[in-house]
Amino acid sequence: MRRTFLFALLLAVAATTGFAQTDFSTVEVKVEKVAGSVYMLTGAGGNIGVSVGADGIVIVDDQFAPLAPKIKEALKSITDKPIRFILNTHYHGDHTGGNAIFGREGTIIAQDNVRKRLASGTTAHGNATPPAPKEALPVITFGETLTVHLNGENIRAVYLPGGHTDGDSAIFFTQSNVVHMGDDFFNGIFPFIDIENGGSVKGVIANGEKVLLTLPDNVKIIPGHGPLGDKAALRAFVTMLKGTSAAVSKALAAKKTAAQMKEEKILAPWDSWSKGFMSQDAFIDALVKDLSR
């Protein structure tokens, strides 16, 4: 299980920075029942949320284009109904790479900034991602909130500003008591935060706290990466971000360099979170860059 998460996380960074090289033929797309009418698909890239019912399928994110046939087979193992809508939690390629394919079957929906980022192309870590083709762009966009009424489910998309990127959304499956947090929640692992495209650690913290205030204790939470979570797991993620941010901010106030922070291992109390692609040292670099702005 851990190897699957590491693989997905490495691909997430690779997709964002434009140098993904992998053999998708070896990837297995797995189905996990979450609650009510909602399932989670894991493979390579961001976790996919799925709502199924008599009216058809709604998917949240669609990983990479080469995995589309495997994703479709996984969906067929749940239902024979057609895909009606595709919701993107943000613009990164490990969450939108299948848009051009699934957009032929359903309507793509996302926050306004997702379409802008996909249409214009982006740069992260010095690597450019070209503009997405027309067929991969969201057809319906929204500013703050949008609701899809399907399968007896009120599927609410809520904008989370300035978190992982500047176009994040949380997707609430109201009747099933499930929420998909996209990459504003990495369960059990240090996150990647795209500060070059509107993200910030303070925004991720604020978004997590905002969502936590709205959730019942028995909610199931689909993270952008990592295993299926709950309210306690999301709270632990926010607590970790507060602690690590405070440690780096204190070191910056003392005029310490990133190299000194690494030598002193100031993030050692959170070492259990470094089991993904982000080591303690890499996360120090990310936080220093973010908090020094």
Side-chain angles (χ1 to χ4, degrees):
M1 185 69 72
R2 176 176 168 178
R3 290 179 62 190
T4 300
F5 298 148
L6 299 185
F7 181 61
L9 285 165
L10 287 168
L11 286 174
V13 174
T16 302
T17 53
F19 55 83
Q21 298 288 334
T22 189
D23 180 5
F24 288 106
S25 67
T26 65
V27 176
E28 180 182 0
V29 176
K30 297 181 179 180
V31 178
E32 180 177 354
K33 178 67 180 287
V34 179
S37 64
V38 178
Y39 294 76
M40 182 174 79
L41 304 187
T42 55
N47 294 328
I48 298 174
V50 182
S51 171
V52 300
D55 300 326
I57 301 172
V58 178
I59 62 172
V60 179
D61 292 339
D62 49 34
Q63 297 192 355
F64 297 99
L67 291 176
K70 294 184 178 183
I71 293 170
K72 289 181 180 182
E73 285 301 313
L75 293 174
K76 286 180 182 179
S77 73
I78 304 171
T79 179
D80 60 359
K81 296 294 182 179
I83 295 173
R84 297 282 303 279
F85 297 98
I86 302 98
L87 279 70
N88 294 152
T89 61
H90 62 291
Y91 83 89
H92 286 153
D94 62 314
H95 295 256
T96 62
N99 274 12
I101 297 170
F102 290 103
R104 300 170 191 161
E105 303 179 32
T107 302
I108 303 172
I109 301 172
Q111 205 274 336
D112 294 334
N113 290 333
V114 175
R115 181 180 170 93
K116 292 176 184 177
R117 295 286 183 190
L118 289 173
S120 64
T122 54
T123 299
H125 299 295
N127 294 281
T129 300
K134 179 181 178 181
E135 56 269 24
L137 300 179
V139 175
I140 296 173
T141 64
F142 63 94
E144 298 296 327
T145 63
L146 176 143
T147 304
V148 175
H149 304 277
L150 206 73
N151 300 327
E153 185 86 68
N154 298 324
I155 304 171
R156 296 177 55 242
V158 178
Y159 179 42
L160 301 178
H164 178 65
T165 71
D166 64 0
D168 302 346
S169 297
I171 312 299
F172 295 81
F173 301 92
T174 309
Q175 279 70 25
S176 295
N177 196 24
V178 176
V179 58
H180 192 315
M181 285 291 293
D183 281 4
D184 276 61
F185 177 30
F186 281 58
N187 192 6
I189 41 189
F190 287 142
F192 167 66
I193 300 173
D194 191 351
I195 65 174
E196 294 171 271
N197 293 286
S200 73
V201 65
K202 292 180 180 178
V204 176
I205 291 170
N207 291 337
E209 290 183 323
K210 176 183 175 181
V211 171
L212 280 168
L213 289 173
T214 71
L215 299 178
D217 290 338
N218 61 342
V219 69
K220 298 294 184 182
I221 306 177
I222 300 174
H225 299 272
L228 181 65
D230 54 18
K231 197 171 180 179
L234 177 56
R235 187 179 292 112
F237 176 67
V238 171
T239 300
M240 177 276 295
L241 291 179
K242 285 183 173 181
T244 53
S245 296
V248 171
S249 293
K250 181 179 179 181
L252 287 171
K255 307 300 183 182
K256 292 182 180 180
T257 65
Q260 289 172 317
M261 297 180 206
K262 295 173 189 177
E263 185 177 354
E264 295 174 11
K265 298 187 181 300
I266 67 169
L267 297 191
W270 300 276
D271 183 59
S272 63
W273 293 81
S274 63
K275 60 191 176 186
F277 71 92
M278 278 282 191
S279 64
Q280 283 187 46
D281 287 355
F283 200 50
I284 285 174
D285 285 334
L287 289 175
V288 166
K289 184 176 181 180
D290 188 356
L291 297 171
S292 296
R293 293 184 293 169

